[in-house]
Amino acid sequence: MKKIFCFILFLLSFVAYMGCGNAEEFEENKDVGNLTKAWDYVQINAKNVNERYRGDFHVSSPVGWMNDPNGFSYALGNYHLFFQHNPYDVKWGPMHWGHYTTKDFIKWELQPTALAPDKPYDTDFGCFSGSALEKNNKMYLLYTGVAGDRQTQCIAESDDGLKFTKTEENPIIDSVQIPADSSKSDFRDPKVFRRDNMYYMLVGSKNNDGDGQILLYRSATLKNWTYVGTTVKSPLTKPGIFECPDYAIIDQKEVLFASPQFYPTDGTMFENVHSVVYMIGNLDYQSGRFEYETVREVDGGFDFYASQTLQTPDGRTIMIAWMQMWDRTMPTAQDGYTGAMILPRELSVKDNKLIQAPVREIEKYRKNFVSYGNVPLTGSKEFSDIGGKTVELDVTFDIASGKTGLKLFCGQKEETLLYYDADSSTLVFDRTNSGLEIKTSSTKEKDAKVRRLKVDTNNGRLQLRVFLDKSSVEVFVNGGIATMTGNVYPSENSQGIKFFSDGVGNSIRSVTKYDIAI
Ligand code: FRU
């Protein structure tokens, strides 16, 4: 039976080859010159995109399509973010690695395209997701080469962190090194890290029964790898795989992340087509097993996938993720680009739960401070100096009953709702009337309009730290114990921010607002 993912890939590439975008140009360029052509194309065509929805402080595709973050790392003195990139079209297609660098996770510098599909082991579908690291003053990219229905792990190296050469030894993990009970066509997204003078690689996989799993490999050199074992296995994701594994030690806790396809919805959790989950536990480096108790969702909003983490020299763990979801319409396609990343987040672990906070560097860009306190809230309330589309809001509500919250990006007919529903103890993010419609083509999610998240108030107190950036909303709840992320596409003049409550006894305990000016 044809594997579903391969079938989807086949369809997507078929559409591309039938004349969408510049597929013919891609076809002509299947040689080493391909990389230069891709970068030339980006430089010329990035000038022609419509910027109306591009976030000021979120990194996004310069032109064409962006999906997963790749190779998010600190290497050779710079922070690097690579990304799954089809420069030639606003749809997924032959995968390149685009490249940004940054000093502060807020301002990003576009660098030459790093990888193009130009070798027998990565032509057809291209260079899929992976990771990066520094070793002996060189930088290495570990990625999945996809040729037909064969996925293998490959490596490219660089002396300057800008120009990468695929090594002669590729593929460094070939199909023969995949355990017999595991899929050869769903074997991707290597996450490499170092532990006790050895390198370890986690690879997303599924077994022949369709259960999602993560495989662990070990190497002393980065080039010769030995299979160690199966890290985690989940019978819950048939027929999907555990994509994009990631691993970090945060506050002395081992945290394993993965992006399982089609993770089953459970109440208000895992409502998107695919989800990002984390598990806190212990990795046994001999057997490869990762023992854990609970699988939790990382973000309860709409648009969050394929997350990656890096360690900063000052010891922080920073996470980034694709701020988009598969199988949805993407309104910026009409503007010449698709795909953006979240505002990077600092991670910590408290009481065995992940805590997320916006990267502290964002505070450098705050302007125009406004603050109010103790405002009783019935009906609708506005403040003349609180509004805008590139804003940080920090609101604490005292909640007693009914629905209490915010209306964001308000215009004549538009509003994005973010409110606490005391009857169901849920935080609701409703983008039904936000602006341009986002449609889902997946039968897994009931809609792409409303997400709910179970949240306990702190003795009736609810804190929402909210970042608006033209076409995105990111919410950090009660100090980051939960988050919700989503894209919205309001009209140009939909700039209003309102506070509302339909219950009795609710109030704004405090609110601060900054404009974020880049
Ligand atoms: C996740 C993913 C990865 C794959 C990449 C292809 O979004 O499906 O598993 O490497 O996208 O672009």
Side-chain angles (χ1 to χ4, degrees):
M1 197 182 81
K2 210 65 185 144
K3 314 273 181 311
I4 287 179
F5 187 75
C6 281
F7 181 60
I8 292 166
L9 291 180
F10 170 74
L11 278 183
L12 287 163
S13 73
F14 182 72
V15 170
Y17 280 90
M18 289 305 284
C20 285
N22 281 6
E24 280 161 21
E25 189 171 330
F26 170 75
E27 186 68 358
E28 279 166 24
N29 295 333
K30 275 192 180 174
D31 55 33
V32 278
N34 201 343
L35 188 59
T36 317
K37 286 274 171 69
W39 177 230
D40 288 348
Y41 184 90
V42 169
Q43 286 172 290
I44 292 165
N45 291 284
K47 295 181 191 121
N48 302 327
V49 307
N50 183 337
E51 303 279 326
R52 64 187 167 147
Y53 287 122
R54 195 189 287 289
D56 285 359
F57 55 97
H58 286 76
V59 62
S60 50
S61 182
V63 61
W65 165 274
M66 164 192 274
N67 62 289
D68 312 355
N70 294 155
F72 188 44
S73 56
Y74 180 77
L76 303 179
N78 253 322
Y79 293 115
H80 296 265
L81 173 70
F82 302 84
F83 59 94
Q84 290 285 279
H85 190 29
N86 178 11
Y88 303 118
D89 203 338
V90 290
K91 298 186 182 115
W92 191 90
M95 280 293 104
H96 297 62
W97 276 36
H99 187 191
Y100 283 101
T101 53
T102 183
K103 297 274 175 232
D104 65 3
F105 304 107
I106 308 297
K107 285 189 172 172
W108 300 85
E109 197 177 332
L110 186 63
Q111 303 291 357
T113 310
L115 298 177
D118 54 15
K119 299 285 181 199
Y121 50 79
D122 62 22
T123 47
D124 301 345
F125 298 119
C127 306
F128 275 23
S129 289
S131 52
L133 81 174
E134 180 183 325
K135 179 191 165 202
N136 298 340
N137 298 320
K138 275 185 174 240
M139 186 171 176
Y140 293 86
L141 306 182
L142 285 299
Y143 71 97
T144 302
V146 187
D149 66 355
R150 184 162 154 258
Q151 304 198 342
T152 58
Q153 311 320 319
C154 303
I155 190 165
E157 56 189 48
S158 169
D159 291 322
D160 62 2
L162 293 173
K163 195 172 175 312
F164 292 86
T165 311
K166 297 174 185 173
T167 68
E168 298 288 307
E169 292 97 330
N170 280 338
I172 49 162
I173 303 185
D174 211 336
S175 305
V176 291
Q177 287 165 273
I178 301 174
D181 69 346
S182 301
S183 165
K184 299 205 175 351
S185 55
D186 280 314
F187 175 61
R188 58 178 176 273
D189 311 335
K191 161 72 183 186
V192 177
F193 58 95
R194 197 181 151 119
R195 178 83 177 243
D196 300 334
N197 285 329
M198 292 298 277
Y199 294 96
Y200 290 88
M201 183 194 286
L202 296 165
V203 188
S205 167
K206 68 178 184 195
N207 69 15
N208 293 333
D209 294 331
D211 302 335
Q213 61 183 12
I214 298 171
L215 305 179
L216 184 70
Y217 290 79
R218 181 193 295 124
S219 170
T221 61
L222 285 182
K223 296 203 175 152
N224 299 306
W225 292 86
T226 310
Y227 174 63
V228 180
T230 306
T231 301
V232 288
K233 208 173 257 185
S234 170
L236 291 178
T237 62
K238 287 187 176 84
I241 85 160
F242 268 44
E243 301 187 303
C244 304
D246 189 28
Y247 171 82
I249 298 179
I250 309 169
D251 294 328
Q252 283 90 49
K253 296 281 185 188
E254 294 177 67
V255 189
L256 185 65
F257 297 88
S259 296
Q261 294 181 318
F262 310 114
Y263 204 81
T265 301
D266 177 6
T268 60
M269 293 184 296
F270 314 115
E271 288 192 280
N272 294 322
V273 187
H274 310 305
S275 306
V276 182
V277 301
Y278 73 95
M279 292 148 271
I280 297 183
N282 292 97
L283 181 57
D284 179 337
Y285 287 85
Q286 296 312 313
S287 66
R289 292 284 313 151
F290 187 82
E291 298 296 341
Y292 65 94
E293 273 175 14
T294 315
V295 176
R296 292 183 204 276
E297 190 167 28
V298 176
D299 187 281
F302 303 90
D303 298 295
F304 184 96
Y305 199 58
S307 64
Q308 290 204 339
T309 55
L310 63 68
Q311 305 292 318
T312 61
D314 64 6
R316 293 178 289 161
T317 303
I318 311 283
M319 178 174 69
I320 198 161
W322 184 36
M323 192 165 60
Q324 203 74 254
M325 183 48 62
W326 291 107
D327 299 339
R328 302 229 184 101
T329 51
M330 298 181 188
T332 62
Q334 54 187 287
D335 298 338
Y337 74 100
T338 40
M341 301 292 170
I342 61 161
L343 175 63
R345 300 176 183 175
E346 293 185 19
L347 302 183
S348 54
V349 171
K350 204 171 149 202
D351 301 332
N352 255 10
K353 290 203 183 118
L354 197 65
I355 307 290
Q356 305 176 51
V359 77
R360 66 191 65 170
E361 283 84 346
I362 190 69
E363 292 166 19
K364 284 195 302 190
Y365 298 95
R366 287 168 162 174
K367 296 266 152 54
N368 307 330
F369 176 70
V370 172
S371 151
Y372 294 96
N374 298 323
V375 183
L377 193 57
T378 36
S380 182
K381 170 92 196 145
E382 281 176 73
F383 300 91
S384 60
D385 45 8
I386 296 186
K389 292 178 123 177
T390 50
V391 164
E392 174 186 351
L393 273 180
D394 194 337
V395 197
T396 301
F397 292 104
D398 281 322
I399 306 273
S401 66
K403 298 186 175 77
T404 305
L406 296 162
K407 295 182 180 178
L408 307 163
F409 295 115
C410 300
Q412 274 203 325
K413 291 190 182 142
E414 294 171 357
E415 59 187 17
T416 295
L417 302 178
L418 182 67
Y419 63 87
Y420 192 74
D421 178 359
D423 293 338
S424 57
S425 304
T426 51
L427 181 65
V428 183
F429 182 169
D430 182 343
R431 62 182 182 186
T432 311
N433 294 315
S434 290
L436 299 183
E437 193 185 356
I438 301 160
K439 291 191 189 124
T440 181
S441 57
S442 165
T443 50
K444 198 247 152 189
E445 54 184 6
K446 67 178 187 313
D447 64 49
K449 296 184 188 319
V450 184
R451 289 292 175 269
R452 293 165 197 277
L453 186 63
K454 281 267 175 210
V455 170
D456 289 329
T457 59
N458 278 335
N459 297 323
R461 234 171 251 181
L462 178 78
Q463 185 223 4
L464 303 177
R465 191 165 169 206
V466 184
F467 288 82
L468 308 182
D469 192 8
K470 285 186 176 164
S471 56
S472 64
V473 179
E474 279 158 296
V475 190
F476 298 83
V477 187
N478 285 343
I481 186 72
T483 60
M484 291 182 104
T485 302
N487 297 312
V488 292
Y489 299 95
S491 310
E492 197 183 341
N493 295 327
S494 297
Q495 312 237 8
I497 295 178
K498 297 179 186 170
F499 299 74
F500 77 97
S501 175
D502 69 359
V504 180
N506 304 307
S507 64
I508 304 170
R509 185 177 186 84
S510 65
V511 54
T512 59
K513 180 231 88 178
Y514 294 94
D515 296 325
I516 300 291
I518 303 301

